[in-house]
Amino acid sequence: MLHRRPAPGHRHPHRKHQEAAISRTPPWRWLPPLLALALGLWGLDRGGSMWRDESVSWQVAHRPLGDLLGLLGRVDAVHGLYYLLTHALLPLGEAAGLSGPVALRLPSVAATALAAAGVAALGHRLAGPRTALAAGVVYAVLPPVQMYAQEGRSYALVAAVVVGATYLLHRRRWPAYAVVLTVACWLHEFAVLALLAHAVTGRRVRAWRRCAAAVAVLVLPLAVLSAGQAGRQLGWLGRPSWADWAAYAGVAGLAALLARGADRELVRLALPLAVLPPGLLLTVSLVHPLYVDRYVLYALAGLALLAGDRLARVRVRAVRWWLRPVGAALLVPVALWSVWLRTPDSRKDDAPAVAAAVRDLARPGDAVLFMPARRREWLLSSPGVYGALSDLALDRAPAASRTLQGTELPSEGIRARLTEAPRVLALLDPADQPWDAYPREAVKRQTLAVFFDLCEIRPVHGARVALYARPGACP
């Protein structure tokens, strides 16, 4: 609940006591960010794997600044600020001797630690040190938080900045609040949904309404630019599935349950943050598909605050004896899930593994064919492998075309090049994925079937590498 600002020089006795208590926060206040940092660094290399979205981050960050800005004018403007930050930071990590995946993911690890500290700080101001500790720890150990703490994408950074903006909202630091929330929206424009969650607390305050208007105006250029790119960028999305709705219903129901009996001010801040951004994005996606759970990762900060407040009010001695082992047993799936998140199998595919399979199968003079074309990303982050092959379908390279994966020749050009190749390595989606129906993709499949024998097909996590050769020329 927001209160009237007291007259200058006046300090309410209760507020004075609360501020003094905050200043005496014990040293274990650092546990949430340190725990988040430790979990983030644990297995950060993930076996040297890097899935295709991280591969995009890696190869875009390595483009010259002019090429990067040219790309953002055509596609992926929604990630523009993140790409610029990665462009600046990734070379520093690699120069320090870190592997590409580790250097790419370190900013997400640091951001998650900051977010855990921010959740703890909010919990401290809203409900005291016990809630601060519990909420910060809950946030750090949530499996989705752990997952995106180890991902070279913008979502952990967005979550940290939204948590910071929420803290500034509670402190009524209006100029800083507007600036920080604007930065969050420029890191990913769906952070603007946090503004709607904040409206539950701030809508009656004139200063907040001015801040909200300022954020909307400052984000408008990004919204206009990205709206023109949405067809190329989000065309792969479908409407929310029943599983999406079921997961949301579970989280929203849990948040509502945890809110019962909690401090009113905490509920007014945390419950809308946990429920409104994903709920609104799901609802809009019934008409125009936009929903992916990671786009609103920051909503978990609200859930962590509610869970932390409930845990802080639990007295272990008052819990029935048979509930204690049950509670401990519930931690086992979380622990197993946390271990699995550090393996390559936890992501959709593994671009370095695909590149290793291609390197193993390739001979000098071999050609490569991407089926579909967007899977060129599997090799763009391994330029040593990609550069040794002839890309049969490529018309203009990614940097030259200011695109993520380059542009391809017309169907007739692909057929002409393909019929002249002696051996072809085709990079395919898993067998259970449907074929793309585009004419260029159909020509690739038809030409391979008519002019080549399938010599070998090697499954890789999330992909297949197939070797084709002229009839009778298979090794």
Side-chain angles (χ1 to χ4, degrees), residues 41 44-45 58 62 89-107:
L41 294 175
L44 184 58
D45 184 64
W58 188 93
H62 280 90
L89 295 176
L90 183 59
L92 299 178
E94 292 177 332
L98 300 175
S99 68
V102 169
L104 185 66
R105 294 167 189 152
L106 272 178

Side-chain angles (χ1 to χ4, degrees), residues 7-318:
H10 174 76
R11 298 183 69 187
H12 192 279
H14 175 69
R15 177 64 65 185
K16 181 178 179 180
H17 175 74
Q18 185 183 49
E19 291 178 356
I22 289 171
S23 68
R24 294 196 302 268
T25 305
W28 45 255
R29 64 184 172 181
W30 299 107
L31 179 59
L34 289 176
L35 176 61
L37 187 64
L39 290 172
L41 294 175
W42 168 35
L44 184 58
D45 184 64
R46 211 162 64 232
S49 66
M50 185 165 59
W51 79 290
R52 55 180 177 255
D53 277 15
E54 291 182 299
S55 178
V56 169
S57 297
W58 188 93
Q59 63 100 351
V60 168
H62 280 90
R63 295 189 188 188
L65 184 59
D67 291 344
L68 173 52
L69 294 175
L71 167 75
L72 300 179
R74 290 178 55 89
V75 69
D76 247 9
V78 68
H79 297 298
L81 180 56
Y82 173 73
Y83 287 151
L84 291 170
L85 289 172
T86 307
H87 175 81
L89 295 176
L90 183 59
L92 299 178
E94 292 177 332
L98 300 175
S99 68
V102 169
L104 185 66
R105 294 167 189 152
L106 272 178
S108 294
V109 175
T112 302
L114 288 174
V119 169
L122 269 169
H124 196 183
R125 293 198 65 88
L126 290 165
R130 288 174 60 88
T131 295
L133 177 61
V137 168
V138 167
Y139 183 82
V141 302
L142 285 172
V145 171
Q146 292 188 55
M147 181 173 186
Y148 294 107
Q150 295 194 325
E151 193 146 298
R153 298 295 280 173
S154 65
Y155 310 112
L157 279 72
V158 175
V161 181
V162 168
V163 168
T166 306
Y167 180 80
L168 292 168
L169 168 70
H170 177 69
R171 295 294 307 274
R172 301 169 62 97
R173 304 297 172 85
W174 302 119
Y177 167 76
V179 170
V180 171
L181 191 56
T182 299
V183 170
C185 294
W186 275 86
L187 280 169
H188 196 287
E189 64 183 322
F190 288 162
V192 76
L193 296 174
L195 193 64
L196 301 179
H198 292 167
V200 175
T201 296
R203 67 186 186 278
R204 296 181 180 177
V205 180
R206 180 181 299 177
W208 180 85
R209 294 197 297 269
R210 290 174 178 171
C211 289
V215 171
V217 169
L218 292 170
V219 176
L220 185 60
L222 175 63
V224 172
L225 181 59
S226 63
Q229 301 174 354
R232 294 187 295 270
Q233 190 167 326
L234 297 174
W236 58 276
L237 281 176
R239 288 181 173 80
S241 65
W242 67 267
D244 293 325
W245 284 105
Y248 172 70
V251 172
L254 177 60
L257 183 64
L258 292 170
R260 295 181 60 185
D263 179 85
R264 185 180 178 186
E265 189 173 2
L266 185 145
V267 171
R268 283 173 60 85
L269 200 68
L271 187 59
L273 186 60
V275 173
L276 286 182
L280 289 168
L281 194 57
L282 278 165
T283 302
V284 170
S285 296
L286 293 174
V287 179
H288 187 75
L290 295 171
Y291 180 78
V292 180
D293 56 358
R294 58 182 178 266
Y295 293 170
V296 285
L297 177 71
Y298 56 84
L300 292 176
L303 182 66
L305 281 168
L306 294 167
D309 185 62
R310 177 56 61 94
L311 288 172
R313 289 184 281 114
V314 171
R315 298 293 183 268
V316 176
R317 292 182 180 179

